[in-house]
Amino acid sequence: MGNENLVFEKYLQSKGLKLTQPRKIILNAAFATHEHFDVDGLYDQIRKKQKDVSRATIYRTIPLLVEAGLIKQSLRCLAKDHYEHIYGHGRHLHLICEKCGKIIEVESKETENILNKLAKKHNFNIKEFNVGAKGICNKCQK
Amino acid sequence: MGNENLVFEKYLQSKGLKLTQPRKIILNAAFATHEHFDVDGLYDQIRKKQKDVSRATIYRTIPLLVEAGLIKQSLRCLAKDHYEHIYGHGRHLHLICEKCGKIIEVESKETENILNKLAKKHNFNIKEFNVGAKGICNKCQK
DNA sequence: TTCATTCTGAGAATAAATCTCATTCTCAAT
DNA sequence: ATTGAGAATGAGATTTATTCTCAGAATGAA
Ligand SMILES: [Mn+2]
Ligand SMILES: [Mn+2]
Ligand SMILES: [Zn+2]
Ligand SMILES: [Zn+2]
């Protein structure tokens, strides 16, 4: 339990927006797990906790969390957008198994350094890394 | 004009499928440009050439081209799946401008080597690399 | 309280992608 | 050349994630 709440509140204030109850609930749900998540996942999780937030509000809140630098759009599985929180969670790349859907997270400063170098060569200002590979995981190879 | 036709035909034969006229037209359209493309892009391009292929057939043919190793799913822009051909086109990574949508393609054996190393450590068998970054391009920084 | 603004939920609307199905094509066997 | 079985196609219906609309509720400063 970091201080995502504080970060979010600060961001909302800076935009003249309010940290309401639904927004708190959604923020909490997004940080309740270290797994990637989608809108329906959040919705179900929130409903299990007797809370009540509409899907519309979740869809409206996610861009705010992204803008605040708390979460990022991650992968797209089963035709749905997926997200993951980034605040308090080191950058990493993804190895995604095409068979079972397993996601392996790996840290790699090296790839970042290389990308930074290439970006500099093109005068490109990187905001978000997006590194990964698809293939077959250990178990599924048998 | 490589021999994508031959590759596609071989693949289709191996699956008991046929290289029909619509499939030829779609294949050609996919290789007519080195830009990334989406279904509507192909559809418009084909219609401009007086040809006629339904969207349904394009949607049905794309997975075949992917399976044949001729194209790959690339980016997702404006809520649409995008693709790019890979046959006869060296692997590369993408620097995508969030402002103007410009896509800079850069080669980098280094990142591949690193990813291969990381994959080996996890007994992961890589099929497709997916490397890039989002940010602001040279021009849009002013 | 008042008042202006922001938020919210419910449901309608949008649109990419998939599916259905009747018809047409393909091609190997006769 | 004819036939027949399976494959392919186009048109339109369907699905479904996401966005939009709008009427009412909450917020908070004055
Ligand atoms: Mn992750
Ligand atoms: Mn490319
Ligand atoms: Zn697996
Ligand atoms: Zn740009």
Side-chain angles (χ1 to χ4, degrees), chain A residues 34-36 74-75 84-85 89 92-94 103-105:
Chain A
H34 269 293
E35 308 272 314
H36 298 189
S74 169
L75 309 159
E84 63 183 317
H85 58 247
H89 195 213
H92 55 270
L93 53 87
H94 296 130
I103 298 173
I104 301 169
E105 302 193 332

Side-chain angles (χ1 to χ4, degrees), chain B residues 11-28:
Chain B
Y11 167 78
L12 292 171
Q13 275 177 3
S14 78
K15 296 285 181 180
L17 307 176
K18 296 156 191 172
L19 180 52
T20 61
Q21 205 56 29
R23 283 174 181 162
K24 274 184 202 166
I25 293 170
I26 294 164
L27 174 63
N28 270 18

Side-chain angles (χ1 to χ4, degrees), chain A residues 60-94:
Chain A
R60 281 187 287 237
T61 302
I62 281 177
L64 299 178
L65 294 173
V66 171
E67 259 300 304
L70 290 165
I71 70 174
K72 66 170 278 197
Q73 186 166 344
S74 169
L75 309 159
R76 196 177 162 80
C77 297
L78 286 338
K80 291 180 184 180
D81 284 338
H82 281 233
Y83 301 85
E84 63 183 317
H85 58 247
I86 52 182
Y87 183 76
H89 195 213
R91 259 207 296 271
H92 55 270
L93 53 87
H94 296 130

Side-chain angles (χ1 to χ4, degrees), chain A residues 124, chain B residues 96-102 135-141:
Chain A
F124 187 90
Chain B
I96 306 162
C97 179
E98 290 175 335
K99 280 265 167 63
C100 68
K102 180 182 180 185
I136 311 294
C137 83
N138 191 10
K139 283 187 182 172
C140 291
Q141 283 170 37

